[in-house]
């Protein structure tokens, strides 16, 4: 089956990465020479972003793109697709939480993470991600290891599942929903389709979304420890970026976007990092029309400041993030500081 995934925010992401690569090339210091510039695509998928980056840096044969994916099927498909780029591209199977060891601790000019699942993962019923098919409740991005969603549901405590639904699915009445999920699972709803049908019968149907949508999203994030993975990536990459380098992350739901936004804002308050676009970039109406997955995508870019330029005056002002409700205030404060 062909590996068909429509890459979101492709041009903007490749442009951000290529700008990082150019800035790195201009740096006198930084530990990389013009013969050794490493770009990491931490979520290789079908290789759409990698291909765009390789094309955008075609005039720089010393730029090497390393693709990482935890799904062996993605590694195989993208490696085939990018064969024509020869030694400029290589791929490795693994989790991006292991990025420092997968890159051998080498400094990097740019890192890209396009979070979540790919269309082929979602569309194949046997992977169990979609409630529109009736595959086993698997949901592992790497089918070769770790417990499936069914394994985890078989042993989870009610309160812990409620936390999962609340944290990763934004489900307000999470104890009640968790009780229904466990009840139906224990009564034999052990495939994606059966569980979705039972949830549709018992959960509120007043919204336009299928009632199982947020439950399935939460289970998937839980099974793949997506937030833990993202936290590790956000902790590791800034220390590996060379001056001028770029870190681009595309998020698809509020939990992961909050994490990226606050981590980047925190780093940009110091002297070594900048946010070229504080609000991030979203897809155009035209892109959303042709690829509905793009609707909730947001690209955030963090750049490592040049080694040769001092901090901007705004960086010396201090202000505090109190909690998530302060986001608007945080951005308003920053806008004011940026105009000083
Ligand atoms: C949205 S797709 C990426 C699509 C890709 N940018 C493209 O244009 O084809 C996300 C991919 O990241 C992989 N992935 C998600 N979390 C990962 C992690 N923690 N470590 C490695 N790969 C991960 C998934 O297996 C999936 O193939």
């Amino acid at each position: 089956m062909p590996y068909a995934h429509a890459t979101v925010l492709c041009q903007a992401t490749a442009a951000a990465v290529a700008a990082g690569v150019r800035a790195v090339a201009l740096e006198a210091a930084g530990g990389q020479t013009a013969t050794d510039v490493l770009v990491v695509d931490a979520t290789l998928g079908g290789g759409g972003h990698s291909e765009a980056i390789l094309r955008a840096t075609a005039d720089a044969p010393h730029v090497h793109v390393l693709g990482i994916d935890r799904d062996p099927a993605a590694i195989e498909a993208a490696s085939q697709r990018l064969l024509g780029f020869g030694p400029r591209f290589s791929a490795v199977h693994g989790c991006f939480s292991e990025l420092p060891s997968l890159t051998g601790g080498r400094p990097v000019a740019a890192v890209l993470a396009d979070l979540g699942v790919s269309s082929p993962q979602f569309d194949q019923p046997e992977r169990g991600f979609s409630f529109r098919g009736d595959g086993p409740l698997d949901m592992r991005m790497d089918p070769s290891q770790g417990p499936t969603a069914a394994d985890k549901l078989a042993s989870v405590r009610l309160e812990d599942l409620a936390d999962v639904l609340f944290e990763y699915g934004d489900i307000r009445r999470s104890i009640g929903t968790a009780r229904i999920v466990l009840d139906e699972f224990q009564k034999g709803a052990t495939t994606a389709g059966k569980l979705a049908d039972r949830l549709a019968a018992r959960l509120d149907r007043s919204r336009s979304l299928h009632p199982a949508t947020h439950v399935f999203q939460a289970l998937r994030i839980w099974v793949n420890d997506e937030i833990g993975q993202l936290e590790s990536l956000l902790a590791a990459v800034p220390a590996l970026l060379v001056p001028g380098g770029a870190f681009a992350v595309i998020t698809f739901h509020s939990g992961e976007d909050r994490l990226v936004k606050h981590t980047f804002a925190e780093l940009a308050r110091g002297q070594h990092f900048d946010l070229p676009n504080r609000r991030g970039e979203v897809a155009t109406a035209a892109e959303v029309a042709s690829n509905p997955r793009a609707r909730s995508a947001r690209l955030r870019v963090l750049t490592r400041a040049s080694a040769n330029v001092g901090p901007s005056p705004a960086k010396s002002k201090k202000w505090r993030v109190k909690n998530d409700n302060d986001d608007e205030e945080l951005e308003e404060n920053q806008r004011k500081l940026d105009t000083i």
Side-chain angles (χ1 to χ4, degrees):
M1 188 190 287
Y3 199 97
H5 177 88
T7 299
V8 301
L9 292 164
C10 190
Q11 275 188 350
T13 309
V17 169
V21 167
R22 275 195 299 279
V24 167
L26 291 173
E27 285 289 323
Q32 293 197 18
T33 67
T35 56
D36 176 23
V37 172
L38 179 62
V39 171
V40 179
D41 180 349
T43 50
L44 181 60
H49 280 117
S50 281
E51 179 171 345
I53 292 164
L54 286 159
R55 290 192 189 287
T57 56
D59 56 345
H62 53 279
V63 174
H64 181 88
V65 175
L66 172 69
I68 298 174
D69 207 292
R70 67 200 297 187
D71 187 344
I75 295 288
E76 199 183 317
S79 299
Q80 280 297 323
R81 173 178 180 164
L82 302 173
L83 260 183
F85 291 94
R88 293 190 61 212
F89 173 79
S90 60
V92 59
H93 176 231
C95 286
F96 58 55
S97 58
E98 302 153 7
L99 188 143
S101 64
L102 293 173
T103 56
R106 285 168 64 195
V108 288
V111 175
L112 155 69
D114 172 19
L115 300 173
V117 286
S118 65
S119 300
Q121 288 169 332
F122 198 75
D123 293 343
Q124 290 168 16
E126 64 273 22
R127 304 290 302 259
F129 286 104
S130 169
F131 49 78
R132 303 203 189 281
D134 195 24
L137 277 170
D138 188 318
M139 297 195 185
R140 291 170 300 170
M141 291 184 196
D142 181 352
S144 70
Q145 54 185 307
T148 65
D151 294 336
K152 289 178 83 85
L153 283 173
S155 59
V156 70
R157 289 171 51 232
L158 174 71
E159 295 75 14
D160 293 338
L161 181 61
D163 285 348
V164 165
L165 299 179
F166 183 80
E167 292 287 332
Y168 304 152
D170 288 328
I171 293 171
R172 299 286 141 213
R173 296 190 197 119
S174 57
I175 274 279
T177 307
R179 194 169 282 122
I180 292 172
V181 171
L182 285 185
D183 183 39
E184 292 300 339
F185 180 75
Q186 284 155 7
K187 284 196 306 207
T190 55
T191 62
K194 280 202 190 87
L195 184 61
D197 287 348
R198 297 310 306 145
L199 294 181
R202 292 185 61 181
L203 294 176
D204 179 11
R205 297 211 60 145
S206 58
R207 298 172 62 195
S208 57
L209 282 179
H210 188 291
T213 305
H214 286 132
V215 172
F216 271 58
Q217 172 185 298
L219 294 179
R220 188 204 89 206
I221 293 172
W222 179 45
V223 166
N224 294 289
D225 185 25
E226 291 180 37
I227 298 299
Q229 285 283 317
L230 180 57
E231 283 170 344
S232 301
L233 185 76
L234 292 170
V237 170
L240 298 176
L241 273 190
V242 293
F247 183 15
V249 184
I250 302 173
T251 63
F252 289 88
H253 62 82
S254 57
E256 61 191 16
D257 188 56
R258 246 187 332 261
L259 188 54
V260 175
K261 174 178 172 167
H262 285 166
T263 306
F264 282 10
E266 188 69 33
L267 286 163
R269 238 181 282 167
Q271 301 186 356
H272 300 298
F273 295 95
D274 290 309
L275 292 176
N277 179 349
R278 190 153 284 280
R279 288 188 171 274
E281 193 156 336
V282 294
T284 61
E287 180 173 357
V288 173
S290 67
N291 179 12
R293 270 190 78 251
R295 186 181 302 117
S296 44
R298 185 178 291 269
L299 168 67
R300 294 190 182 275
V301 179
L302 178 79
T303 55
R304 170 106 192 250
S306 162
N308 304 317
V309 179
S312 67
K315 291 288 176 62
S316 60
K317 303 273 178 179
K318 287 262 191 288
W319 41 270
R320 230 163 44 84
V321 183
K322 286 184 292 237
N323 60 45
D324 290 341
N325 298 330
D326 291 343
D327 286 356
E328 292 310 317
E329 184 190 334
L330 184 153
E331 289 182 0
E332 181 58 23
N333 282 344
Q334 187 60 41
R335 269 198 302 280
K336 284 181 194 150
L337 290 173
D338 285 345
T339 57
I340 291 173

